[in-house]
């Protein structure tokens, strides 16, 4: 089957790209092997997406985006892409079911937080376990939270959480932070922050929500329990770049390098959202990326239409 644009991934970036692409009159297909909406579907209260006075459920928000894209003619496939090829300027993707051709591809495969892989973590995701303070911090007003990690993100997000929480513990497995010195100095001066050194989390506990953490002190070789209302994990983020590793230019962390138009180093291939190298990973920035990528793809197709139709 032939399409003008194929979008890989149906998170906020992919859904936004589908809306703009289909609305622009391009035949558009979206491939998603897992859940429509991506990571945002585990967030029950999205409070910072423009246009919603009250918090909106992540599933509800992305379902509205999908229906909007379908209204403009976008087609969705529940298929996993197994191979990608090039034929001149045209792109070819294969799934376990069929082979598809497109003039342009927009990759919106996202990224995922590195997890601690301890008991209770996965079960309580969205119920006290979070990987995004900017997304969920306001839900912890006057509560006690913990941040796991010692890099820039962990410390900066810990400081952000002090705007809402009455107490923020920073749990780090070493005896010193990896964050930039200026960030460390600001954090150490913050009266709401307390640092727990040489310690790892062994278990996240709670019946319906996070209630406490089981901690192991590597130096003291002892176990303690820390009551908290939530835990924010910052031990790394991993791009979902398996389809792209040998094809497009990546940074040292494996994220796709694009220009301001979301164009990769391969003509007609774009990347949007969390998969690309960016300073902020939020729903609103992902949807912006998707819109720009679709607009850029439309322009590129028009500029190369003779070559594309000759294949």
């Amino acid at each position: 089957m032939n399409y003008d644009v194929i979008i890989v991934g149906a998170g906020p970036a992919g859904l936004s790209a589908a809306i703009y692409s289909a609305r622009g009159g391009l035949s558009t297909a979206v491939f998603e092997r897992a859940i429509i909406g991506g990571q945002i579907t585990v967030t029950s209260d999205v409070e910072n997406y423009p246009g919603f006075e009250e918090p909106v459920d992540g599933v509800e928000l992305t379902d509205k985006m999908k229906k909007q894209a379908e209204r403009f003619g976008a087609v969705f496939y529940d298929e996993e892409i197994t191979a990608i090829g090039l034929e001149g300027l045209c792109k070819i993707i294969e799934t376990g079911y069929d082979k598809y051709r497109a003039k342009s591809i927009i990759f919106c495969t996202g990224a995922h937080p590195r997890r601690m892989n301890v008991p209770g973590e996965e079960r309580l995701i969205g119920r006290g376990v979070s990987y995004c303070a900017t997304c969920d911090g306001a839900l912890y007003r006057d509560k006690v939270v913990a941040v796991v990690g010692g890099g820039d993100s962990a410390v900066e997000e810990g400081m952000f959480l002090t705007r809402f929480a009455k107490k923020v513990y920073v749990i780090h497995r070493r005896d010193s932070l990896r964050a930039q010195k200026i960030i460390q100095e600001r954090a150490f001066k913050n009266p709401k922050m307390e640092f727990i050194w040489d310690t790892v989390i062994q278990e996240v506990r709670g019946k319906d929500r996070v209630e406490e953490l089981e901690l192991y002190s590597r130096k003291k070789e002892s176990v303690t329990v820390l009551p908290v209302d939530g835990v924010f994990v910052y031990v790394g983020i991993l791009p979902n770049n398996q389809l792209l590793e040998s094809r497009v230019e990546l940074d040292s962390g494996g994220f796709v390098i694009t220009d301001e138009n979301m164009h990769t180093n391969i003509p007609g291939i774009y990347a949007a959202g969390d998969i690309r190298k960016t300073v902020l990973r939020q729903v609103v920035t992902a949807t912006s990326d998707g819109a720009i990528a679709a607009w850029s793809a439309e322009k590129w197709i028009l500029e190369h239409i003779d070559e594309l139709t000759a294949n």
Side-chain angles (χ1 to χ4, degrees), residues 10 91 95 116 176 182 201 237 242 254 293:
K91 288 78 184 166
T95 71
M116 298 182 292
S176 62
I182 189 169
I201 293 177
I237 184 167
Q242 295 83 354

Side-chain angles (χ1 to χ4, degrees), residues 1-3 6 29 31 75 77-81 83-85 90-102 105:
M1 297 184 68
N2 297 339
Y3 291 95
I6 283 178
F31 287 78
V75 178
Y77 289 93
D78 180 18
E79 299 178 23
E80 182 173 1
I81 296 172
I84 298 171
C90 284
K91 288 78 184 166
I92 301 169
I93 69 165
E94 295 181 29
T95 71
Y97 299 91
D98 211 337
K99 183 181 289 188
Y100 304 84
R101 291 168 59 91
I105 295 181

